Amino acid sequence: MDKIKALAFAKINLSLDITGRRDDGYHLLSTVMQSVSLCDSLYFEKSNQNGIFITCDDDSIPTGEKNIVCKAAAKLFERYGERGVKIHIEKKIPHGAGLAGGSADAAATLLALNELFELNASKDELLKIGVSVGADVAFCMCGGTILCEGIGEKLTPLEPLDNFYALIVKSDVLSPTDAAYKRCDEANISSSFNQDELSGAIAQGDISTLSKNLYNVFELVTPKEVINEAKAALIESGALGAIMTGSGSAVFGLFDNQSDAKKAYSELSGRFPFVHLAKPVQNGVEFK
């Protein structure tokens, strides 16, 4: 095998809470993440020359050592030996959105390179590398409906969800993750979310109750102009509930039927720079 293509799926946070902070400064989280059908496409090809050579169809994405894909590949090669690979990324997941676009690409890279070069790395080994690269990478390697805790290393699979539509809306405003955590620290935000009702709704596949119990601690410290218009527009268009994902600035609304979701998509497509209708998926990465 000389080439492989991977689909790297975005995630949304059905809940997101900060539960503490380690001595090294890393924040501890409790979050239920869900993979959705919005995805990037990554193409991997062996190179005769050692090194990691990245290209991307989005000029705003760095293609050097700052790219998380490069970091993931470098960590893998550091452990299993230097290789040569060409990686081309086709972006569909907007960056700076809280949708884990970079983490999804890094997850796809670890899994794809393990296959391409027949490294025979175990899932646990790859997950450890993933956690060292980024907080959401381990989840993105697994995908589905998962409760993630700690710094992203504790993964508890939940009952798979497949019976909703998520309408994802994003303005041009960015909401950097570091700034969001800093605002939480300055506001002395601590754990306040009761996970039980959300977990119960997931177990029952009850999208109505789930939609009423969406939670994101970052909304408490995010400038209202970043998210309020999108949330209001989603609710007005029939969403059962709406919440910001990750540290933002994307917001999603949940629908329990395709007809309402498509109608809302049509209504909002002209109002925001990015509008995407997604379905839940059960994998974080898929090979083609």
Side-chain angles (χ1 to χ4, degrees):
M1 180 191 301
D2 294 321
K3 298 180 181 181
I4 192 169
K5 176 185 176 182
L7 302 182
F9 293 104
K11 62 82 178 166
I12 55 175
N13 296 84
L14 302 176
S15 68
L16 199 171
D17 199 13
I18 296 174
T19 58
R21 191 173 183 181
R22 301 196 319 191
D23 292 339
D24 59 9
Y26 281 95
H27 292 80
L28 301 175
L29 302 179
S30 176
T31 175
V32 174
M33 292 198 269
Q34 173 66 56
S35 303
V36 292
S37 53
L38 172 63
C39 65
D40 291 342
S41 297
L42 289 87
Y43 301 82
F44 302 86
E45 182 178 359
K46 290 180 180 177
S47 171
N48 293 327
Q49 180 182 355
N50 276 358
I52 304 160
F53 309 99
I54 299 175
T55 56
C56 183
D57 66 349
D58 184 340
D59 292 338
S60 69
I61 302 297
T63 54
E65 293 180 357
K66 291 185 177 180
N67 191 306
I68 192 172
V69 165
C70 185
K71 293 176 183 178
K75 289 249 185 187
L76 191 69
F77 291 164
E78 183 181 301
R79 184 179 179 104
Y80 291 96
E82 187 69 16
R83 306 291 203 282
V85 63
K86 300 175 184 176
I87 305 173
H88 180 66
I89 308 168
E90 291 183 356
K91 292 295 295 180
K92 298 294 183 186
I93 306 171
H95 66 280
L99 294 164
S103 295
D105 293 349
T109 297
L110 292 172
L111 294 172
L113 295 185
N114 187 47
E115 291 289 323
L116 187 65
F117 292 103
E118 298 179 342
L119 302 178
N120 297 315
S122 70
K123 183 176 181 180
D124 284 345
E125 289 173 314
L126 292 174
L127 287 172
K128 286 178 183 177
I129 295 173
V131 170
S132 73
V133 173
D136 294 336
V137 176
F139 164 79
C140 290
M141 293 172 68
C142 300
T145 313
I146 296 180
L147 171 63
C148 304
E149 298 173 289
I151 59 169
E153 82 284 10
K154 300 176 184 176
L155 307 178
T156 305
L158 303 178
E159 192 70 23
L161 288 169
D162 62 2
N163 59 337
F164 71 80
Y165 292 82
L167 186 57
I168 304 168
V169 172
K170 183 183 179 298
S171 68
D172 285 329
V173 179
L174 298 180
S175 180
T177 301
D178 289 347
Y181 277 113
K182 184 179 180 181
R183 288 194 295 267
C184 282
D185 291 340
E186 291 173 346
N188 198 28
I189 297 294
S190 59
S191 178
S192 61
F193 178 63
N194 187 332
Q195 182 71 41
D196 292 345
E197 285 197 59
L198 184 84
S199 296
I202 291 172
Q204 297 296 322
D206 183 347
I207 302 306
S208 178
T209 301
L210 171 63
S211 299
K212 292 179 176 64
N213 286 278
L214 300 171
Y215 180 79
N216 188 336
V217 67
F218 286 121
E219 282 202 349
L220 301 178
V221 295
T222 299
K224 300 305 180 187
E225 63 270 17
V226 174
I227 56 172
N228 275 12
E229 182 184 359
K231 287 185 68 174
L234 285 162
I235 296 299
E236 289 168 7
S237 296
L240 299 175
I243 198 84
M244 185 174 77
T245 182
S247 58
S249 59
V251 173
F252 68 90
L254 296 187
F255 297 80
D256 61 5
N257 68 85
Q258 188 179 48
S259 176
D260 287 348
K262 284 187 171 181
K263 181 174 179 289
Y265 174 81
S266 297
E267 291 175 356
L268 300 186
S269 288
R271 289 182 58 181
F272 296 91
F274 180 87
V275 181
H276 184 89
L277 184 58
K279 279 281 290 176
V281 295
Q282 305 310 319
N283 297 305
V285 176
E286 184 177 312
F287 294 134
K288 288 290 187 180

